[in-house]
C-alpha cells in the first residue's frame, strides 16, 4: 500500500512555521540521531496512562539490556506538538515519538516527521494486516507510511448499572438496550433521572475540555455529515444536519435531562458519586470509576442518527525528522515499537482499544471488562477531518468547542451557533498550512 523511504528537504520557512503549528515557543529539546544501542523516545502520557507506559518501558528495558532507552514525557496539547514540530524542523528530534493520527496532516507534508521503511517494518514483524484498515490508511501520507497506531480512543457511553436496572433499561443478560433513535434516548434519560432524582446524563459543556466537539462529530457523522471536501480544500458544511444535531442536544438540556455548565472534573465527580445514570466521554476514565467502586459498565456510543459511529483519535508512533538514520537504527526503532504493540493488552487496561489486532482479538483482552465491551467500534471510528488544523488539541477543537458547549446548555442559540461554526471553518480553510 505504501512505498519506500525518500528524502525531505527542510527550508528555513519550514523551521519557522513549525512554531505556528503548535502555537508556542520551544523550551527544551534533545540531541538527535540514534547512537549505536541508544534510543530516545518522547511521549505525552500522564496520570494512569503515564504509569502504564512507564511499566511497559521497564519491561522493554529488561528484555533489551543492550539498548540505552531515554524516555521523556511532555505536557499534552499544544506545548507537546510545538516542541515536537520545532525539534523535527531544527534536527534536534528524538528517535521515536507519539503523535495523534489526527495531527498527521499537520506534520507529514512539511517533512517534520520521516516516512517509515516498509521493508524494515516487515523484518520487525509489523504489517498492514495487523491493523484495522481505516487506521492504517490514515497512518499514511502521499502513498507512504508515516505512523504505526498503538490504539484508538473513541467516544463512548458509560452507565450506572444499578440505576439502569432500577429504571428497567437492562436486557435479561444485564446489558443496556441500545436506544431507538433520539426519542428512545430521551426515554432512557427520563427513566434514569426518575431513579437518581438528579441527572439523567452527565457531561462536560464548560471549561477547556473537548466533549462538545467529540459529541458533535459523533452525531454529525452518524447523520452522514462532512465538514470538508475529500481534498480538504473546500467546505462541505451541511447546515441542515448541523442544525438537527444541535437542536437535539439543546433539547436534552431544555428538558432538564442533562447537567449544566460542568467541566470534565465536575461531570466525573458527579458520576462517581452516582448522581447520574449516564456519562459521555472518552473511554480513558474507566480506571477512575473502577477505583471509585461504583456499579458501572460501558458500551460503544449508540446510533442515534444512523449507524453507531463514534469520534476517535489514535495514539501512534512516528519518526521525527532526522538528517540520516541507518538501517540498523531504523530496525532498532521498529523493534521497540513492535515490543510495545505486542504488550498492548497492558495498555488497554486504561480503556484504549489496542490497534494491534493480534492483541485486540486475543483471549487476554476479551476477558478484560468493561474495556473490551466496546471494541467493535474500532472498525467504525471517525477520526477528525483529514486537514492540517484538526486533531487532538488542535485549533479547530478549541474554537468549535467554544461554540458547541454554550449551544448545548442554552447559553447560545442554535441559529447563532450554526453561523459561528460556519465562520470558524471558513477562516480555518482560508489559513494556509504553515509547513506547505
Amino acid at each position: 500500500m505504501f512505498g519506500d523511504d525518500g528524502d525531505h528537504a527542510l527550508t528555513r520557512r519550514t523551521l519557522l512555521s513549525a512554531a505556528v503549528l503548535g502555537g508556542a515557543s520551544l523550551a527544551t529539546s534533545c540531541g538527535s540521531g540514534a547512537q549505536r544501542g541508544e534510543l530516545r523516545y518522547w511521549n505525552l502520557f500522564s496520570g494512569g496512562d503515564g504509569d502504564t507506559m512507564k511499566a511497559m518501558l521497564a519491561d522493554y528495558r529488561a528484555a533489551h539490556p543492550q539498548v540505552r532507552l531515554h524516555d521523556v514525557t511532555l505536557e499534552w496539547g499544544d506545548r507537546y506538538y510545538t516542541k515536537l514540530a520545532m525539534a523535527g524542523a531544527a534536527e534536534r528530534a528524538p528517535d521515536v515519538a507519539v503523535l495523534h493520527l489526527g495531527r498527521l496532516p499537520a506534520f507529514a507534508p512539511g517533512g517534520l516527521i520521516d516516512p517509515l521503511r516498509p521493508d524494515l517494518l516487515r523484518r520487525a514483524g509489523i504489517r498492514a494486516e495487523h491493523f484495522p484498515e481505516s487506521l492504517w490508511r490514515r497512518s499514511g501520507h502521499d502513498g507512504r507510511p508515516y505512523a504505526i497506531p498503538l490504539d484508538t480512543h473513541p467516544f463512548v457511553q458509560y452507565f450506572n448499572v444499578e440505576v439502569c436496572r432500577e429504571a428497567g433499561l437492562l436486557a435479561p443478560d444485564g446489558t443496556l438496550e441500545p436506544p431507538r433513535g433520539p426519542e428512545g434516548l430521551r426515554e432512557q434519560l427520563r427513566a434514569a433521572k426518575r431513579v437518581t432524582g438528579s441527572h439523567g446524563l452527565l457531561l462536560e459543556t464548560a471549561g477547556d475540555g473537548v466533549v462538545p466537539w467529540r459529541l458533535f462529530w459523533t452525531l454529525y457523522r452518524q447523520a452522514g455529515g462532512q465538514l470538508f471536501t475529500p481534498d480538504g480544500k473546500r467546505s462541505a458544511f451541511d447546515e441542515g444536519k448541523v442544525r438537527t444535531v444541535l437542536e437535539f442536544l439543546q433539547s436534552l438540556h431544555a428538558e432538564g435531562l442533562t447537567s449544566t455548565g460542568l467541566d470534565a472534573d465536575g461531570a466525573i465527580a458527579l458520576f462517581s458519586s452516582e448522581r447520574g445514570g449516564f456519562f459521555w466521554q472518552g473511554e480513558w476514565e474507566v480506571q477512575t470509576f473502577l477505583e471509585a467502586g461504583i456499579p458501572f459498565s460501558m458500551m460503544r456510543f449508540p446510533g442515534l442518527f444512523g449507524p453507531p459511529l463514534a469520534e476517535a483519535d489514535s495514539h501512534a508512533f512516528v519518526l521525527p525528522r532526522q538528517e540520516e538514520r541507518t538501517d540498523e537504527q531504523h530496525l532498532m526503532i521498529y523493534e521497540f515499537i513492535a515490543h510495545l504493540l505486542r504488550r498492548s493488552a497492558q495498555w488497554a487496561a486504561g480503556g484504549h482499544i489496542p490497534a494491534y489486532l493480534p492483541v485486540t482479538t486475543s483471549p487476554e483482552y476479551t476477558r478484560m471488562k468493561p474495556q473490551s465491551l466496546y471494541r467493535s467500534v474500532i472498525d467504525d471510528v471517525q477520526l477528525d477531518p483529514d486537514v492540517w488544523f484538526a486533531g487532538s488539541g488542535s485549533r479547530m477543537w478549541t474554537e468549535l468547542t467554544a461554540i458547541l458547549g454554550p449551544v448545548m446548555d442554552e447559553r447560545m442559540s442554535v441559529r447563532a451557533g450554526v453561523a459561528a461554526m460556519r465562520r470558524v471553518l471558513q477562516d480555518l480553510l482560508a489559513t494556509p498550512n504553515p509547513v506547505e
Side-chain angles (χ1 to χ4, degrees):
M1 179 177 178
F2 297 124
D4 288 329
D5 191 11
D7 293 333
H8 281 294
L10 282 176
T11 65
R12 177 176 174 80
R13 180 173 180 272
T14 302
L15 172 61
L16 297 174
S17 298
V20 179
L21 272 179
S25 60
L26 178 65
T28 61
S29 62
C30 68
S32 68
Q35 303 300 317
R36 189 176 186 88
E38 189 170 6
L39 189 62
R40 294 181 172 89
Y41 166 55
W42 282 11
N43 70 80
L44 38 58
F45 301 123
S46 60
D49 282 349
D51 293 341
T52 301
M53 178 54 65
K54 289 185 183 302
M56 294 169 70
L57 296 181
D59 182 67
Y60 172 83
R61 289 186 173 99
H64 300 81
Q66 76 282 9
V67 177
R68 296 187 301 278
L69 174 64
H70 308 279
D71 64 289
V72 176
T73 301
L74 299 170
E75 185 179 351
W76 184 96
D78 275 347
R79 291 186 180 182
Y80 176 80
Y81 284 113
T82 295
K83 292 176 182 179
L84 188 61
M86 289 292 286
E91 298 181 10
R92 296 176 60 82
D95 303 303
V96 59
V98 169
L99 184 90
H100 286 92
L101 277 187
R103 286 280 194 158
L104 194 68
F107 276 74
L112 296 176
I113 56 177
D114 288 332
L116 306 173
R117 288 276 303 275
D119 56 332
L120 297 180
L121 284 174
R122 289 190 291 271
R123 280 182 58 185
I126 300 174
R127 299 177 180 273
E129 58 265 28
H130 292 154
F131 303 88
E133 192 276 333
S134 60
L135 285 185
W136 188 256
R137 184 177 64 251
R138 282 295 296 266
S139 300
H141 169 72
D142 199 22
R144 307 165 81 185
Y146 276 83
I148 302 298
L150 170 63
D151 63 32
T152 187
H153 36 284
F155 199 69
V156 297
Q157 177 168 267
Y158 301 76
F159 60 96
N160 186 299
V161 175
E162 294 304 322
V163 169
C164 290
R165 177 175 289 113
E166 187 174 344
L169 301 178
L170 299 186
D173 63 356
T175 60
L176 180 68
E177 294 278 11
R180 295 184 179 181
E183 185 54 37
L185 178 72
R186 285 192 183 91
E187 292 173 358
Q188 288 187 339
L189 299 186
R190 290 171 189 142
K193 183 177 180 179
R194 285 194 293 270
V195 173
T196 65
S198 181
H199 301 286
L201 169 65
L202 294 162
L203 76 166
E204 162 201 327
T205 59
D208 57 359
V210 294
V211 165
W213 159 253
R214 287 185 161 121
L215 177 54
F216 167 78
W217 188 237
T218 292
L219 297 179
Y220 185 62
R221 289 296 300 130
Q222 288 184 3
Q226 297 281 0
L227 290 182
F228 309 105
T229 54
D231 60 7
K233 295 181 179 179
R234 296 179 301 280
S235 174
F237 189 76
D238 190 321
E239 185 169 320
K241 288 185 172 67
V242 171
R243 185 181 298 109
T244 296
V245 170
L246 296 186
E247 287 176 347
F248 165 69
L249 293 174
Q250 195 173 86
S251 74
L252 298 181
H253 184 269
E255 192 178 337
L257 298 175
T258 65
S259 54
T260 298
L262 292 179
D263 62 10
D265 289 342
I268 291 167
L270 286 179
F271 190 74
S272 296
S273 60
E274 302 189 62
R275 298 284 299 281
F278 296 86
F279 175 71
W280 290 350
Q281 177 58 286
E283 33 62 48
W284 50 80
E285 297 298 341
V286 59
Q287 289 297 330
T288 300
F289 300 135
L290 286 172
E291 291 172 8
I294 63 172
F296 83 101
S297 190
M298 301 166 68
M299 60 184 289
R300 60 185 295 176
F301 197 87
L304 302 179
F305 292 94
L309 308 179
E311 186 278 342
D313 209 328
S314 174
H315 296 117
F317 299 106
V318 297
L319 275 57
R321 169 69 183 179
Q322 290 188 7
E323 186 63 28
E324 183 178 350
R325 285 185 178 89
T326 65
D327 288 1
E328 180 183 8
Q329 290 163 349
H330 269 281
L331 191 58
M332 180 172 62
I333 293 167
Y334 302 153
E335 288 174 344
F336 166 73
I337 295 171
H339 181 96
L340 298 184
L341 292 175
R342 289 193 295 268
R343 287 155 179 80
S344 54
Q346 183 178 358
W347 183 245
H352 307 314
I353 304 174
Y356 188 60
L357 293 177
V359 170
T360 314
T361 58
S362 68
E364 179 183 7
Y365 178 61
T366 301
R367 290 191 297 268
M368 197 177 294
K369 300 292 190 300
Q371 291 90 336
S372 67
L373 297 177
Y374 47 87
R375 63 176 174 172
S376 63
V377 76
I378 198 169
D379 295 320
D380 302 310
V381 293
Q382 302 299 300
L383 273 70
D384 277 12
D386 194 3
V387 290
W388 73 267
F389 46 78
S392 293
S394 63
R395 178 180 168 185
M396 187 182 78
W397 276 30
T398 301
E399 296 189 18
L400 290 185
T401 289
I403 299 166
L404 292 166
V407 171
M408 288 165 58
D409 56 20
E410 298 186 278
R411 289 175 284 143
M412 180 186 292
S413 70
V414 169
R415 180 178 180 180
V418 171
M421 290 179 68
R422 187 191 306 110
R423 287 194 299 271
V424 165
L425 296 175
Q426 289 172 343
D427 288 346
L428 291 172
L429 281 171
T431 304
N433 185 340
V435 299
E436 281 195 321

